[in-house]
Amino acid sequence: MQSVAHHDQTRVLLRDRSLEKPKSKVAHSSIWAVAAYSAYFILALLQQHITHAVSIGFGSYADEAAHYLSGLMLRDYFFSGLKQSPVDYVSNYYLHLPMVAIGHWPPVFYLAEAAWMLVFGYTRADILVFIAAITALTSFTVCLATRDVLAWPGAFAMGGIVQAIPIIRWSNSVVMIDLFTGIVILWAALSLGKFLNTEKNSHAIYFGVLASLALLTKPAAACLALVTIPAILLVRKPRLLRSPALWGAALMVAAISAPWYLATWHLARYGSNGGPLGENLRLVAVGSITGVVRELNVVLLLFGAGVYLFFRKENRDGVRAVLIVLPISMVVILVLARVGLENRLLIPAMLPMIIVSADGVCWLSGYLRKSASFRAWRTCLVAGAFLLTYVAVTPVKVRWIPTDDGLGGMVSKILSDDNAPNMVMVAGPNGASDGRMIATLAESMRVRPGNIVLRATKVFAVTNWNGTPYSCRVSRPEQVVEELDTDGVNLLAIDTSPRWGKWRLHEQLLLEATLQYPERFQKIYSDDASGYALYRFVPKHQPTMPKAVLNDLKKKLELNPFSRSQDFDSKN
């Protein structure tokens, strides 16, 4: 009896010690977690400072202004007290600031962006802190996902590799949705992998929720649908194909995301470049290989080692199976979508490759996480060495525009005009130029929507999302002047900077009109260094603004974004 009692006392002591130890581990992990995220966040902000992200403005990419204005529109809608229906508010907002992208893209990113703006502000500087937080969260997620293999020091170095990737450094300096999409897809993939390992219903639910959020961020998240079956086969658990939890997650994704795509499919489909599927297959396949090699270079060696180690194991990890399949699924979706290929679209494929690379680091260091001889700092040195090597061999080119480029002065002139609110037409060589002017104007407005902004591309030309095909509605400068009279335009903002590329026909005719009719176009602001110029257009007859003109514009510009008979375009 004494031996039994003694044995029971020993079990109690061991249990108490086992309960105390995890508490210290949790505290230790929490310290590492806070320190890691803080370091990543500071690094992201530092990179923005180095790349002059605030002074770049909204012209780094044609979509950037649309992503900013969509979040700003939702922020203003919530701030207004939701007094109008969403469709009416979007239509009216687009009439005044015609670079709203919601409808072409799903709403989750814009909702998160609007929430940030409500709390922290809506200037470019404010929203870039939001982008930095996303970049830091991406690095932190990679750090957490590799911690079980490398421990905290090595995992911290792997997270640092994320912020060294050129396309992610670029994404950290612009208002784009690709990095946000990549992190949500990665979260969903990790949840699916944990379900394959544990078969717990909770992980299937997490996967369903995160996959829905990913699909409501960008259609590219459809790659998650192509991951499930190959990953299940790789871990040799075909019985999971009949799992009620997995099918429940699929039904959840359909129920949450399908209504949005059914309502906006007529808008989203304009993002396709079209063209033969075979030609797009060749373009994306070759472009994906060259893009990944250019972005990851030496990290691919570690990824290859990680894949090799995965297939050598008898008991294969579900998380690694999902992460290995995900890049291939992403490329397949890009082929089917026929949206062309840019390196930013490969971000969801690169993040899982970095996580799998941790196995290569562990193998290269000669230690395994669970072995008695494991030394966390040895793997940290190996991961750190690869990080330094990667940074050394990876060139980064950042195109930036000086802060004082004349646009601020032109916007101030527009907002201080005595005739405000004005009907302002903006004309630039492409969507990035138009968007830069419109977004800067919106950012500077105290009351939005405010001035009514027209895009010369919309009024004088017929073109689609990608700028092709292109058809000019006017053929002579006289027709340009007549159209401006009809639309009630009283200010014309022009960007003639050569940095944007060549002028199209309607823009050339507009510029010719300013030269042929100097009495109608009075230059009230110009900055020769930047190419910005502002004209006051003198109408032939005093316009009866705004009701009659606005009604005509609504018909001409087809403003209802949720009407299936109309083309709502935000990019070109």
Side-chain angles (χ1 to χ4, degrees), residues 217-270:
T217 301
K218 198 173 184 180
C223 64
L224 292 168
L226 305 180
V227 168
T228 308
I229 294 177
I232 289 175
L233 296 179
L234 282 178
V235 297
R236 304 187 184 99
K237 294 182 178 180
R239 69 180 187 281
L240 290 180
L241 293 173
R242 301 187 299 271
S243 170
L246 197 58
W247 282 101
L251 291 175
M252 181 191 305
V253 173
I256 295 175
S257 59
W260 174 267
Y261 282 97
L262 291 174
T264 62
W265 176 249
H266 64 295
L267 306 177
R269 66 186 177 89
Y270 289 108

Side-chain angles (χ1 to χ4, degrees), residues 20-32:
E20 291 174 2
K21 191 174 182 180
K23 289 182 180 179
S24 61
K25 285 187 175 181
V26 169
H28 182 262
S29 296
S30 299
I31 293 172
W32 265 105

Side-chain angles (χ1 to χ4, degrees), residues 273-297:
N273 290 332
L277 188 62
E279 180 181 343
N280 197 59
L281 173 62
R282 178 186 59 80
L283 172 68
V284 173
V286 175
S288 298
I289 294 173
T290 57
V292 169
V293 170
R294 186 180 298 113
E295 299 292 338
L296 296 183
N297 52 65

Side-chain angles (χ1 to χ4, degrees), residues 32-343:
W32 265 105
V34 172
Y37 183 82
S38 300
Y40 293 141
F41 185 57
I42 293 172
L43 178 59
L45 292 175
L46 180 61
Q47 290 198 75
Q48 288 182 353
H49 175 73
I50 294 173
T51 57
H52 307 274
V54 175
S55 63
I56 285 174
F58 295 99
S60 294
Y61 194 82
D63 293 343
E64 187 182 13
H67 292 316
Y68 169 75
L69 284 169
S70 296
L72 184 63
M73 180 204 67
L74 289 179
R75 179 264 177 200
D76 291 341
Y77 181 55
F78 295 141
F79 195 77
S80 70
L82 313 178
K83 295 178 182 178
Q84 287 181 271
S85 73
V87 173
D88 291 341
Y89 191 87
V90 172
S91 299
N92 182 61
Y93 208 93
Y94 181 78
L95 174 66
H96 291 77
L97 298 167
M99 287 294 284
V100 176
I102 193 167
H104 282 304
W105 286 279
V108 166
F109 175 79
Y110 306 128
L111 289 170
E113 187 182 22
W116 181 276
M117 289 178 175
L118 284 170
V119 177
F120 298 104
Y122 58 82
T123 67
R124 177 174 176 81
D126 296 327
I127 202 62
L128 280 174
V129 178
F130 173 64
I131 298 298
I134 294 172
T135 304
L137 189 59
T138 305
S139 291
F140 185 64
T141 300
V142 171
C143 177
L144 289 180
T146 57
R147 180 191 53 174
D148 61 331
V149 176
L150 302 178
W152 277 109
F156 179 76
M158 295 303 294
I161 290 178
V162 173
Q163 293 201 39
I165 298 175
I167 192 59
I168 291 183
R169 294 182 66 179
W170 176 83
S171 298
N172 183 52
S173 299
V174 294
V175 184
M176 297 287 285
I177 67 174
D178 303 292
L179 198 55
F180 186 89
T181 303
I183 188 62
V184 181
I185 290 177
L186 181 60
W187 289 344
L190 292 173
S191 296
L192 176 61
K194 290 178 180 178
F195 171 75
L196 298 184
N197 285 337
T198 65
E199 301 183 27
K200 290 183 178 180
N201 293 342
S202 58
H203 291 305
I205 294 173
Y206 297 151
F207 170 65
V209 172
L210 291 169
S212 300
L213 291 176
L215 274 171
L216 290 177
T217 301
K218 198 173 184 180
C223 64
L224 292 168
L226 305 180
V227 168
T228 308
I229 294 177
I232 289 175
L233 296 179
L234 282 178
V235 297
R236 304 187 184 99
K237 294 182 178 180
R239 69 180 187 281
L240 290 180
L241 293 173
R242 301 187 299 271
S243 170
L246 197 58
W247 282 101
L251 291 175
M252 181 191 305
V253 173
I256 295 175
S257 59
W260 174 267
Y261 282 97
L262 291 174
T264 62
W265 176 249
H266 64 295
L267 306 177
R269 66 186 177 89
Y270 289 108
S272 173
N273 290 332
L277 188 62
E279 180 181 343
N280 197 59
L281 173 62
R282 178 186 59 80
L283 172 68
V284 173
V286 175
S288 298
I289 294 173
T290 57
V292 169
V293 170
R294 186 180 298 113
E295 299 292 338
L296 296 183
N297 52 65
V298 296
V299 177
L300 288 175
L301 299 176
L302 299 176
F303 174 71
V307 173
Y308 171 74
L309 293 171
F310 170 82
F311 281 101
R312 285 194 60 184
K313 293 179 180 178
E314 184 66 27
N315 296 321
R316 294 174 178 173
D317 178 54
V319 172
R320 293 298 184 271
V322 172
L323 297 180
I324 289 172
V325 175
L326 183 56
I328 301 172
S329 302
M330 188 70 226
V331 173
V332 172
I333 288 297
L334 292 176
V335 171
L336 297 177
R338 292 184 290 181
V339 295
L341 183 68
E342 300 172 43
N343 286 359

Side-chain angles (χ1 to χ4, degrees), residues 519-535:
E519 74 282 359
R520 304 291 301 276
F521 295 91
Q522 301 173 358
K523 185 178 288 188
I524 59 176
Y525 176 85
S526 66
D527 185 89
D528 295 335
S530 64
Y532 286 110
L534 181 65
Y535 295 86

